[in-house]
Amino acid sequence: MNQIKGRKIVLGISGGIAAYKAVDLLRRIEELDGRVAVVMTANAQRFIAPLTFQALTSEGVYTDLFDAYRPGAMDHIHLAQWADLVVLAPATANIIAKAALGLADDLLSTFLLACTAPKLFCPAMNVRMYENPALQANLERIREKGGVIQEPESGALACGETGRGRLASIEEIIESLQGIFSPPDLRGERVLITTGCTWEPLDPVRFLTNPSTGRMGFALARVARRRGAEVTLISGPTHLSPVPGVKQIPVVTARDLEKAALEAFPRATIVIKAAAVSDYRPEKTSVQKIKKKQERVTLSLVQNPDILRRMGTLKKKQFLVGFAAETEHLLQNARTKLESKNLDMIVANPIGVPGAGFAGETNQVHFIFPGGKTEALPLMLKEEVACQLFDRIIREKRKTP
Ligand code: CTP
């Protein structure tokens, strides 16, 4: 679920070259229906004009302690009360030091001192400045006071050096904001998710597969991470971007998936098998490209291991969830899979219904539990399906000591 919707967020911008990236952050928060007021330091305004932000936000841009005298503007105290959350991006060494010590000599630092809302600091600076013990000690002070630090990325820096100090990606910052607003009710859980299709090669240039893109599993991974879980995502070939904070293991064939999944299984407390695994693979994979010689070709296929069934026999403490993709007799087939694979829950997923199944952003599913209890969910975004699924898993896990 989008936790940013309707939230009042103050975006604090201090004077670093990454200040221009704050424009993208502002736009992304507003796309997610968050409300953003901007506070800029004097140095930030040397990198990017307040007018850019004024054109993009309806909640105002504040640059001076005396802005409050503008009609309709808030002073720093009212702004501090208005905010549900503060994100500092980029956060320079200077604003980090001021926040750590409680200095208040301009609007942004004074506002920070007055504001009790959660704060996310996104440092961006030269690598040696970032690694300096004085800066690290200030970050530690901020953490002790409850602030959250979004670690910068490693890479080429604007100053010409290479190392840790690049502003975290916008998607990472957004995921952290979603996490701060989410209930931490999966903290302590180790969630293993499999997703996407598998490729079963016929020769070096051809393979058998299906249309699964991995979207459902990526949504599950994002939601589990936001709610505090440690997440491992085993994914077949996909074009989706990695989920920040999630350990992603790429696999290609069903047998790769089996190996990776069974290795990760013993540590997991919750396992969700959303992958659309190929049930069969070619009996032989040709080393060379198969040439177009014959009029008719017959493929001989052999069965792949059923990973979920195996997990059902191995499970100890794991809460095991399967998906059932069906074109007919949806509930009946899903119930049979729930029982025969010894699952704690199954998500019945109709194929061929508009808005449900493979590839799209939405899904329309049924949750089925042992004993036959069934819940039909309306058509919703895959991320919302993921939230509902974890709500049920937590509820069911609480029932069993
Ligand atoms: N699954 C698996 N290993 C396989 C096939 C399926 O782990 N070789 C898992 C899927 O990830 C899913 C569940 O089993 O969670 C059901 O998959 P589905 O393809 O719907 O059913 P199958 O068991 O393969 O049965 P059928 O193809 O006959 O419907």
Side-chain angles (χ1 to χ4, degrees):
M1 225 166 70
N2 172 18
Q3 298 284 354
I4 289 175
K5 187 173 180 175
R7 304 283 187 171
K8 299 189 287 271
I9 295 172
V10 170
L11 171 58
I13 307 169
S14 49
I17 186 69
Y20 75 94
K21 295 183 182 170
V23 176
D24 280 343
L25 180 59
L26 166 68
R27 299 204 63 177
R28 189 76 190 103
I29 296 172
E30 291 199 333
E31 270 168 26
L32 292 164
D33 294 324
R35 296 168 61 188
V36 189
V38 175
V39 177
M40 300 179 78
T41 65
N43 280 342
Q45 295 168 64
R46 300 179 72 173
F47 283 98
I48 185 160
L51 191 60
T52 307
F53 295 99
Q54 248 144 24
L56 295 171
T57 172
S58 54
E59 304 295 337
V61 178
Y62 296 82
T63 54
D64 192 282
L65 264 172
F66 305 102
D67 278 346
Y69 295 98
R70 273 190 284 141
M74 289 183 271
D75 65 23
H76 61 281
I77 303 295
H78 282 98
L79 199 56
Q81 285 164 347
W82 178 84
D84 292 326
L85 180 137
V86 185
V87 52
L88 288 116
T92 57
N94 190 39
I95 195 68
I96 288 169
K98 286 192 205 175
L101 298 173
L103 291 185
D105 65 350
D106 65 357
L107 175 62
L108 184 55
S109 51
T110 310
F111 158 77
L112 284 178
L113 204 58
C115 186
T116 55
K119 298 181 187 80
L120 176 68
F121 288 78
C122 308
M125 65 195 72
N126 166 272
V127 54
R128 272 168 292 110
M129 288 172 72
Y130 186 69
E131 287 172 358
N132 189 302
L135 187 277
Q136 288 299 323
N138 285 334
L139 290 180
E140 203 41 51
R141 277 196 196 100
I142 289 173
R143 282 193 196 97
E144 279 163 14
K145 286 188 266 185
V148 181
I149 309 297
Q150 178 80 61
E151 292 284 326
E153 289 181 347
S154 289
L157 303 173
C159 56
E161 292 189 55
T162 303
R164 190 170 279 278
R166 285 165 64 93
L167 184 70
S169 73
I170 303 303
E171 262 334 287
E172 268 176 284
I173 298 173
I174 291 290
E175 275 310 307
S176 293
L177 296 179
Q178 298 275 19
I180 290 170
F181 289 128
S182 298
D185 49 8
L186 287 171
R187 199 170 280 162
E189 299 288 356
R190 293 183 295 275
V191 179
L192 171 62
I193 300 163
T194 72
T195 196
C197 61
T198 60
W199 288 0
E200 309 299 327
L202 287 156
D203 71 8
V205 294
R206 303 179 183 96
F207 50 82
L208 299 176
T209 190
N210 61 63
S212 171
T213 56
R215 276 213 167 79
M216 190 64 238
F218 275 67
L220 286 161
R222 266 197 306 278
V223 169
R225 178 73 199 122
R226 286 174 194 168
R227 290 167 74 160
E230 182 191 318
V231 185
T232 302
L233 177 65
I234 304 177
S235 173
T238 180
H239 65 276
L240 299 175
S241 310
V243 182
V246 164
K247 180 180 175 196
Q248 193 172 324
I249 304 176
V251 294
V252 177
T253 65
R255 285 187 294 175
D256 294 344
L257 178 57
E258 180 193 32
K259 186 169 177 289
L262 292 181
E263 239 168 63
F265 185 72
R267 274 202 84 236
T269 57
I270 297 169
V271 180
I272 308 175
K273 287 225 66 249
V277 185
S278 295
D279 286 331
Y280 294 92
R281 66 177 183 276
E283 190 172 18
K284 285 196 199 106
T285 301
S286 169
V287 181
Q288 303 300 335
K289 186 180 169 204
I290 301 168
K291 301 305 278 180
K292 186 175 55 187
K293 284 187 195 139
Q294 292 143 276
E295 189 65 30
R296 192 178 283 263
V297 177
T298 306
L299 288 178
S300 175
L301 304 177
V302 291
Q303 214 177 83
N304 270 324
D306 190 321
I307 307 157
L308 188 56
R309 189 178 296 278
R310 184 81 211 286
M311 286 176 165
T313 63
L314 292 174
K315 83 171 175 187
K316 294 203 168 71
K317 58 185 187 315
Q318 291 88 349
F319 190 93
L320 195 53
V321 184
F323 270 69
E326 306 292 346
T327 54
E328 57 178 356
H329 312 302
L330 175 70
L331 298 181
Q332 191 187 319
N333 284 342
R335 282 192 192 111
T336 308
K337 286 176 192 173
L338 174 83
E339 277 167 30
S340 68
K341 301 195 188 198
N342 191 25
L343 309 180
D344 298 292
M345 185 176 171
I346 196 157
V347 182
N349 201 169
I351 303 296
V353 171
F358 292 134
E361 296 288 350
T362 55
N363 211 351
Q364 186 180 6
V365 301
H366 290 74
F367 292 153
I368 309 177
F369 302 88
K373 201 181 117 197
T374 303
E375 272 183 70
L377 276 74
L379 184 73
M380 55 177 74
L381 288 170
K382 285 185 173 169
E383 216 167 80
E384 285 165 12
V385 174
C387 287
Q388 298 284 338
L389 179 55
F390 282 114
D391 287 349
R392 302 308 184 284
I393 293 173
I394 290 167
R395 187 190 70 194
E396 293 302 308
K397 270 174 71 86
R398 280 189 189 140
K399 284 186 195 163
T400 47

